[in-house]
Amino acid sequence: MNFSESLKNNKDFQYVYKNGRSNANRYLVMYVIDNCTEKNRIGISVSKKVGNSIVRHRLTRLIRESYRLNEDMFLRGKDIVVIARAGSKGKSFKEIESALLHLSRLHKMVPS
């Protein structure tokens, strides 16, 4: 990820949850807030409600790869938190990628 870093601290996640804007679709929820830097910071959260550790890690990898492949389209200077919903369990890469891009368009982070 050339233009991005990972969100790792709980306080960063909490700040985005409290102050960011959110949109959701069937598979994902996305929170976005400006971070006043030239890089995006992305955090991915998958609850135990979604499935066991194998399922959760697979979804994390799918979301991260979807973002990485489309990273050059995203506006920079944002903190992004993506939460996987239970409906995303067992979905293909294309479905997860489509859901991520859909939410990005709702947040006006990628061109329509």
Side-chain angles (χ1 to χ4, degrees), residues 17-55:
Y17 290 144
K18 287 180 183 171
N19 302 308
R21 294 178 314 135
S22 69
N23 279 319
N25 58 28
R26 291 169 63 187
Y27 304 134
L28 304 172
V29 179
M30 181 184 282
Y31 288 83
V32 176
I33 193 167
D34 290 331
N35 67 10
C36 302
T37 65
E38 288 300 313
K39 290 192 169 200
N40 286 343
R41 297 192 308 164
I42 183 165
I44 300 170
S45 176
V46 185
S47 167
K48 284 188 176 183
K49 294 177 186 176
V50 176
N52 62 21
S53 66
I54 297 166
V55 172

Side-chain angles (χ1 to χ4, degrees), residues 19-101:
N19 302 308
R21 294 178 314 135
S22 69
N23 279 319
N25 58 28
R26 291 169 63 187
Y27 304 134
L28 304 172
V29 179
M30 181 184 282
Y31 288 83
V32 176
I33 193 167
D34 290 331
N35 67 10
C36 302
T37 65
E38 288 300 313
K39 290 192 169 200
N40 286 343
R41 297 192 308 164
I42 183 165
I44 300 170
S45 176
V46 185
S47 167
K48 284 188 176 183
K49 294 177 186 176
V50 176
N52 62 21
S53 66
I54 297 166
V55 172
R56 294 194 310 268
H57 289 318
R58 179 179 183 277
L59 278 171
T60 302
R61 288 191 308 269
L62 289 177
I63 293 167
R64 185 171 287 118
E65 184 69 2
S66 299
Y67 176 79
R68 186 187 71 82
L69 291 175
N70 296 290
E71 182 180 27
D72 55 336
M73 295 180 359
F74 280 73
L75 293 177
R76 294 191 185 84
K78 306 283 186 188
D79 281 350
I80 305 164
V81 174
V82 180
I83 303 168
R85 291 179 134 178
S88 62
K89 179 179 179 179
K91 298 302 175 199
S92 69
F93 172 76
K94 283 294 180 191
E95 290 170 308
I96 297 296
E97 182 181 39
S98 173
L100 183 74
L101 291 175

